[in-house]
């Protein structure tokens, strides 16, 4: 008789994560020494053209990452590009692997696997002419996508690397005046502490927004409508309302937005429902709404902290672009 024992390792559960566009670039260097360096770059190695073969091996290595690392998720890569760049002043070959796709998980390991496969192939093809070879400096250069946006390695990037790969972060909201309003009878009476509002405030501030108004109001049409008009008059550009979007008798936040709306923004509202439905089918019961009031965009979002965070993950890449369109400015 044996007793059950939990495994000491686990594959990450990504089922509840939202697919986003992701990209990663990894880099590493091959150091063959001065004499062998010339042989490599002049493509005179006895086994053949090491630079071309390394790029092919890098493609294959990126695609096989999940076979090499047991806890790495198998993913459908949409882009793999491998570059071998000679650096004469150091007698080195600098190898890059760029991977991209839309998925629930990142592509860092695929980029690193591609770089390592390319570097090992350079080693394999060069060792007949020079056994004293070295591989070093393998690291992730940067990654994009997911709810955290752009991450760049602390060692930084050269101007050439930045110009070639053009890493892009989420468009920021630096200095944009914003408001967060929670709609809840119980929270406004002090029965329980508002938890969805702080989630929205934190997400806006991470983008650089100036959140000058954080309020809790009871459910109802007229008080919210009056407050929205006042905020628009004060120059607030984004107002995120949390709560009151369900089917309960006091869930009337969408009605308040429609009362003050100059234009509905149906696309964003439908995106919130359809993307949220990837987390839970109950999202189709939400009456999320987005409207324009003067120069302000107003969002009616679900009231749970988890749903508020999921909605912000969806909206982060779009908010600055939406405001630019509202102003008739070029997109950031």
């Amino acid at each position: 008789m044996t007793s059950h024992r939990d495994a000491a390792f686990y594959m990450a559960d990504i089922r509840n994560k939202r697919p986003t566009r992701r990209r990663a670039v990894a880099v590493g260097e091959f150091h063959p020494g001065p004499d062998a360096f010339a042989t490599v770059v002049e493509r005179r190695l006895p086994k053949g053209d090491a630079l071309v073969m390394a790029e092919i091996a890098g493609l294959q290595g990126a695609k096989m990452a999940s076979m090499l690392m047991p806890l790495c998720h198998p993913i459908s890569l949409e882009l793999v590009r491998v570059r071998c760049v000679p650096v004469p002043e150091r007698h080195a070959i600098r190898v890059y692997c760029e991977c991209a796709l839309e998925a629930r998980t990142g592509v860092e390991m695929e980029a690193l696997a591609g770089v390592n496969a390319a570097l090992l192939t350079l080693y394999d093809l060069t060792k007949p002419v020079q056994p004293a070879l070295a591989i070093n400096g393998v690291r992730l250069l940067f990654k994009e996508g997911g709810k955290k946006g752009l991450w760049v390695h602390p060692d930084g990037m050269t101007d050439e690397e930045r110009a070639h790969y053009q890493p892009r972060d989420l468009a920021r909201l630096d200095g944009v005046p914003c408001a967060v309003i929670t709609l809840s009878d119980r929270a406004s009476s002090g029965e329980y502490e508002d938890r969805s509002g702080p989630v929205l405030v934190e997400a806006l501030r991470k983008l650089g927004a100036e959140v000058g108004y954080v309020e809790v109001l009871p459910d109802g049409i007229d008080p919210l409508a009056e407050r929205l008009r006042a905020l628009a008059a004060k120059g607030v550009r984004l107002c995120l309302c949390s709560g009151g979007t369900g089917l309960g008798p006091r869930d009337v936040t969408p009605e308040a937005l429609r009362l003050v709306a100059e234009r509905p923004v149906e696309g964003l509202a439908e995106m919130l429902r359809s993307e949220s439905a990837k987390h839970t089918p109950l999202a189709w019961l939400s009456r999320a709404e987005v409207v324009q009031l003067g120069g302000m965009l107003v969002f009616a979002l679900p009231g749970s902290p988890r749903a508020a965070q999921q909605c912000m993950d969806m909206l982060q890449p779009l908010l600055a672009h939406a405001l630019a369109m509202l102003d008739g400015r070029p997109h950031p």
Side-chain angles (χ1 to χ4, degrees):
M1 183 175 178
T2 60
S3 59
H4 175 73
R5 183 179 178 182
D6 289 338
F9 45 82
Y10 305 90
M11 177 178 277
D13 185 350
I14 61 172
R15 292 173 297 173
N16 291 324
K17 296 177 70 174
R18 188 175 67 90
T20 62
R21 298 187 69 176
R22 299 171 183 265
R23 184 168 67 127
V25 176
V27 65
E29 287 193 353
F30 173 61
H31 293 265
D35 296 334
F37 174 81
T39 308
V40 172
V41 298
E42 292 168 11
R43 305 172 194 267
R44 294 187 286 105
L45 289 171
K47 288 187 178 182
D49 190 334
L51 298 178
V52 170
M53 186 55 66
E55 293 182 0
I56 295 171
L59 291 168
Q60 190 71 5
K63 292 190 290 183
M64 296 183 67
S66 64
M67 297 179 67
L68 297 169
M69 291 161 280
L71 302 185
C72 184
H73 292 86
I75 56 177
S76 299
L77 289 169
E78 297 170 359
L79 169 73
V80 181
R81 289 194 181 119
V82 182
R83 290 197 304 149
C84 294
V85 181
V87 186
E89 58 270 24
R90 295 204 308 277
H91 302 111
I93 309 294
R94 197 161 171 83
V95 177
Y96 298 90
C97 182
E98 175 186 11
C99 296
L101 83 168
E102 183 169 336
R104 289 182 169 88
T105 188
V107 284
E108 302 97 299
M109 300 312 299
E110 285 71 19
L112 288 163
V115 161
N116 278 287
L119 290 168
L120 288 171
T121 297
L122 288 172
Y123 195 113
D124 179 47
L125 271 65
T126 308
K127 62 182 171 57
V129 300
Q130 172 58 272
L133 305 170
I135 291 171
N136 60 34
V138 177
R139 63 181 172 94
L140 188 66
L141 198 62
F142 70 89
K143 63 176 181 175
E144 299 171 350
K147 64 182 181 181
K148 294 182 180 177
L150 176 66
W151 178 88
V152 179
H153 194 281
D155 288 349
M157 302 170 60
T158 67
D159 292 340
E160 188 278 332
E161 289 167 343
R162 194 171 289 277
H164 184 90
Y165 291 108
Q166 299 181 354
R168 298 196 64 181
D169 201 353
L170 297 172
R172 293 184 57 78
L173 297 171
D174 292 323
V176 173
C178 298
V180 172
I181 300 177
T182 299
L183 285 308
S184 169
D185 288 334
R186 291 195 299 151
S188 67
S189 67
E191 258 185 79
Y192 76 87
E193 183 180 359
D194 170 34
R195 293 189 296 129
S196 61
V199 169
L200 299 177
V201 170
E202 182 183 2
L204 287 170
R205 285 178 176 161
K206 280 183 178 178
L207 292 175
E210 183 180 319
V211 188
Y213 305 91
V214 182
E215 305 168 8
V216 179
L217 297 178
D219 291 302
I221 295 176
D222 292 334
L224 176 57
E226 181 181 347
R227 190 65 186 129
L228 292 175
R229 292 190 184 101
L231 290 171
K234 291 179 179 180
V236 172
R237 302 304 313 281
L238 285 173
C239 181
L240 304 183
C241 301
S242 172
T245 61
L247 299 178
R250 294 282 289 165
D251 290 334
V252 292
T253 302
E255 283 73 19
L257 267 63
R258 292 179 197 133
L259 182 63
V260 301
E262 295 176 3
R263 286 195 299 180
V265 188
E266 293 97 340
L268 284 175
E270 196 57 32
M271 180 200 75
L272 292 172
R273 271 185 290 277
S274 62
E275 290 296 313
S276 296
K278 295 175 181 178
H279 299 289
T280 170
L282 296 178
W284 293 113
L285 298 175
S286 168
R287 299 189 304 127
E289 191 86 15
V290 185
V291 302
Q292 177 190 349
L293 171 57
M296 181 171 73
L297 284 177
V298 187
F299 295 77
L301 305 176
S304 80
R306 182 180 179 185
Q309 183 61 66
Q310 290 170 349
C311 287
M312 283 308 299
D313 292 344
M314 301 170 208
L315 291 173
Q316 281 176 345
L318 301 173
L319 292 174
H321 297 274
L323 289 179
M325 292 176 69
L326 206 61
D327 297 339
R329 295 182 282 110
H331 298 182

